Amino acid sequence: MSHPTGEADPLVQVLEAIGRGDERAFEQLYTCSSAQLFGVLLRILKRRDWAEDALQDCYLKIWRRSESYTAERGPPMAWLASIARYRAFDLLRRQPEAIDRSADIEDLPHALIDPRESPEDRAIESEGLRRLSLCLNELRDEHRKCMLLAYY
C-alpha cells in the first residue's frame, strides 16, 4: 500500500516488525496511533474510563494479531481503527444500557478519515454520508440504531 506521494506506508513495516516480536516497533506504533484510536473509542463509548480500558485491549489484540495484517487488506490505520471499533461495540453489546439512544449518523466516528485522502475523495465521501443519513432518517428509530450498530 502506498501514500499518495508514492511512498510505502511506514506503518506496514512497523506491523511486520511487531509480528516478529519487535517491542520497539510496538512502542512506535503506540506513539503514532494511540491518540487517533483513543479518539475513535471515546467517540463511540462516550466514557473516558471505558475508552482507556478498550484502548489497552486493542493494543493487546494488535500485539497478538499483527502478523495477520497484510497491506492488501487496506491501510494500516484502517485495520487498527477497525479493531478499535469492534472492541468498542463489543463492550456496548455487553452493556446495552450504556448505548446512547440519541446518537445519530452525525455521531459516527469521523476520526477514521484518512488525512492522506484528497479533498475530492473526502467530498465524495461526505456526499455519500449525507445521502446515507437521509436514508437512515427514513427508518424508525429502533431500526436505524440497529443498522448503525450492525455496521459500526
Side-chain angles (χ1 to χ4, degrees):
M1 190 61 60
S2 63
H3 285 281
T5 62
E7 299 173 13
D9 189 332
L11 288 181
V12 172
Q13 288 79 29
V14 170
L15 286 170
E16 289 171 355
I18 294 168
R20 295 187 302 271
D22 186 333
E23 292 179 15
R24 292 215 295 196
F26 188 69
E27 289 176 33
Q28 181 183 3
L29 178 72
Y30 183 86
T31 300
C32 69
S33 64
S34 60
Q36 187 172 5
L37 296 183
F38 183 72
V40 169
L41 292 163
L42 189 58
R43 188 168 195 147
I44 295 169
L45 296 171
K46 310 231 187 282
R47 285 189 50 177
R48 186 173 194 81
D49 58 334
W50 288 5
E52 290 169 352
D53 289 343
L55 185 65
Q56 183 176 351
D57 292 344
C58 289
Y59 280 99
L60 187 59
K61 188 169 201 166
I62 292 164
W63 176 257
R64 290 180 180 155
R65 298 192 57 222
S66 60
E67 74 281 346
S68 71
Y69 172 77
T70 61
E72 291 79 36
R73 297 176 90 177
M77 279 307 297
W79 184 73
L80 297 170
S82 70
I83 291 171
R85 282 195 321 268
Y86 288 125
R87 181 64 190 131
F89 287 114
D90 186 45
L91 286 172
L92 289 176
R93 274 191 289 276
R94 291 182 186 167
Q95 301 186 21
E97 71 281 356
I99 297 174
D100 180 3
R101 302 291 179 198
S102 65
D104 203 347
I105 187 81
E106 288 78 24
D107 295 329
L108 296 178
H110 288 63
L112 300 179
I113 294 173
D114 187 340
R116 297 168 298 191
E117 287 181 337
S118 72
E120 183 177 90
D121 290 339
R122 280 183 265 168
I124 291 168
E125 184 174 340
S126 292
E127 174 61 18
L129 285 173
R130 186 191 69 73
R131 291 172 55 197
L132 176 62
S133 178
L134 292 172
C135 291
L136 287 172
N137 286 333
E138 291 181 19
L139 297 174
R140 285 188 288 165
D141 190 52
E142 65 216 33
H143 292 140
R144 182 169 42 89
K145 300 297 184 203
C146 287
M147 292 295 291
L148 291 172
L149 285 174
Y151 183 76
Y152 288 101

